[in-house]
Amino acid sequence: MSQITLPAFHMPFQSAGCNPGLAETCGAAWEWAESEGLDLSVPARRKMIRTRPELWISLIFPQATQEHLDLFCQWLFWAFLVDDEFDDGPAGRDPQMCERAITRLVDVFDGAAPNGPMERALAGLRERTCRGRSPQWNRQFRRDTAAWLWTYYAEAVERAAGQVPSRAEFAKHRRDSVAMQPFLCLHEITAGIDLPDSARSLPAYIALRNAVTDHSGLCNDICSFEKEAALGYEHNAVRLIQRDRGCTLQEAVDEAGIQLARIAERVQRAEKDLIEEIEAAGISGPTRAALERCVQDYRGLVRGDFDYHARAERYTRPDLVELDERDSLSQYFAA
């Protein structure tokens, strides 16, 4: 593993910098976790420190207010706990356990009474986030969040059945499983916009959203391959390329790098197409301004996500993963 060389990525988008509230939002996230009863074990705490959710949030939302930055970082902190539980823990290998846990989380998101620290934390985040948002925004955010959560169940079932998805199937699955789409909804909060359904239905807006999400998913797969391979985790684009082509791991990594550059080109094409569609549809006023804000900011989202993966020890130092981490989070989920 250590002899694998990551490809020289081409990144056409300029960095928008890092939010100056990074340190403050880090402290707020840990205080929030303690207040919610998310008393992480020593290995889980060490892993979260290496994950640095405050860095990712600060890189993709460099202009967010401190209030928004704190809220979004707490969402990400919670999402990483979920991710580690279902990727590394027993719930991700027992479809029935996974189904019960995901059903409960989605029900709590929809307003059911929470049980246990993770559910209570989710209920609080949802209330703080969704209050005052439009029905169309809430529908989109709910769809994206639930779709992300249910990808863990799909993976658990495939693992239990001994199945491996095709590359095409996985690309579609990864669009939800990387969890970028809910954060594109959160972008609207900090940008002060609220897209109507007509704007969300524009083909080029959908293509732009998908390209941003696909870039994040593939970048994450490339940078997390070593950690996931050590756990026998097959839902990774690099591993699927290697299986499909019968090539070496280095060749698979190189191919993934080429694909990542192509996705960045898709972002640029979708931006151009969206501007043309705005003109063709005669969109003006606040809706036009909101779509133009997305075109402006999504490049920064891609670049910030890219820079994060090059800086967080969760990806740069996978050799630090401890064996007992896979069982360290189960206590937070209701049986």
Side-chain angles (χ1 to χ4, degrees):
M1 284 298 177
S2 60
Q3 296 179 353
I4 297 300
T5 301
L6 293 179
F9 298 112
H10 173 63
M11 172 46 63
F13 309 133
Q14 295 296 314
S15 171
C18 189
N19 196 298
L22 183 152
E24 185 174 338
T25 209
C26 178
W30 284 100
E31 291 173 5
W32 166 83
E34 182 178 0
S35 71
E36 293 291 345
L38 301 174
D39 187 17
L40 277 66
S41 66
V42 172
R45 176 176 289 271
R46 189 177 298 121
K47 187 172 188 179
M48 188 63 74
I49 291 171
R50 293 202 321 275
T51 296
R52 300 191 69 191
E54 74 284 353
L55 176 62
W56 190 77
I57 288 295
S58 298
L59 286 168
I60 69 167
F61 296 127
Q63 303 300 322
T65 65
Q66 193 67 52
E67 178 185 4
H68 289 156
L69 198 72
D70 291 351
L71 175 61
F72 301 165
C73 186
Q74 289 156 28
W75 266 112
L76 187 59
F77 194 112
W78 183 86
F80 272 124
L81 290 180
V82 171
D83 189 67
D84 287 337
E85 169 63 18
F86 291 109
D87 278 358
D88 305 347
R93 285 153 182 79
D94 183 332
Q96 292 183 345
M97 183 188 299
C98 185
E99 180 186 14
R100 288 193 298 270
I102 298 301
T103 297
R104 282 293 309 159
L105 292 176
V106 174
D107 285 349
V108 169
F109 190 94
D110 288 338
N115 296 312
M118 286 296 288
E119 292 183 12
R120 287 193 294 271
L122 171 60
L125 289 170
R126 175 189 53 78
E127 171 61 23
R128 291 162 57 201
T129 304
C130 297
R131 186 190 312 125
R133 299 300 297 175
S134 70
Q136 59 264 28
W137 186 91
N138 277 297
R139 283 195 301 271
Q140 184 73 54
F141 187 55
R142 193 271 181 196
R143 179 268 163 206
D144 292 340
T145 303
W148 159 60
L149 288 168
W150 280 113
T151 61
Y152 294 110
Y153 177 67
E155 293 183 14
V157 171
E158 286 184 329
R159 275 194 290 267
Q163 297 174 350
V164 178
S166 69
R167 288 168 63 185
E169 291 167 342
F170 181 71
K172 183 178 179 181
H173 168 87
R174 194 69 173 113
R175 192 168 286 165
D176 285 324
S177 72
V178 73
M180 173 62 93
Q181 303 234 30
F183 285 92
L184 294 183
C185 293
L186 296 181
H187 162 261
E188 294 184 44
I189 294 178
T190 195
I193 61 178
D194 198 325
L195 295 173
D197 287 339
S198 58
R200 298 182 193 280
S201 300
L202 290 171
Y205 175 73
I206 295 171
L208 177 58
R209 212 172 191 261
N210 287 343
V212 170
T213 301
D214 291 349
H215 195 280
S216 179
L218 184 54
C219 184
N220 182 272
D221 281 355
I222 293 170
C223 295
S224 63
F225 176 78
E226 286 193 66
K227 176 182 81 75
E228 293 175 348
L231 294 167
Y233 184 76
E234 294 283 342
H235 287 76
N236 181 290
V238 174
R239 174 60 175 151
L240 293 178
I241 291 170
Q242 185 184 22
R243 290 175 64 105
D244 187 50
R245 294 182 54 187
C247 60
T248 67
L249 177 56
Q250 184 65 65
E251 289 170 337
V253 170
D254 292 342
E255 173 62 25
I258 293 170
Q259 292 182 11
L260 194 68
R262 290 172 179 165
I263 296 173
E265 293 172 358
R266 281 174 45 207
V267 172
Q268 295 171 303
R269 287 198 303 271
E271 291 173 341
K272 179 177 179 294
D273 291 346
L274 182 55
I275 296 301
E276 293 175 353
E277 289 180 9
I278 290 171
E279 293 291 341
I283 297 172
S284 60
T287 300
R288 182 188 185 106
L291 287 167
E292 289 175 344
R293 179 66 184 268
C294 291
V295 170
Q296 170 189 323
D297 289 355
Y298 281 11
R299 286 185 169 213
L301 287 166
V302 173
R303 178 58 189 260
D305 178 75
F306 177 86
D307 289 345
Y308 164 76
H309 281 90
R311 293 171 60 178
E313 286 188 342
R314 181 184 178 97
Y315 307 104
T316 63
R317 292 294 308 278
D319 54 301
L320 295 178
V321 173
E322 297 191 27
L323 294 177
D324 58 348
E325 284 179 350
R326 69 186 65 195
D327 297 320
S328 60
L329 302 172
S330 302
Q331 62 184 301
Y332 302 114
F333 289 82

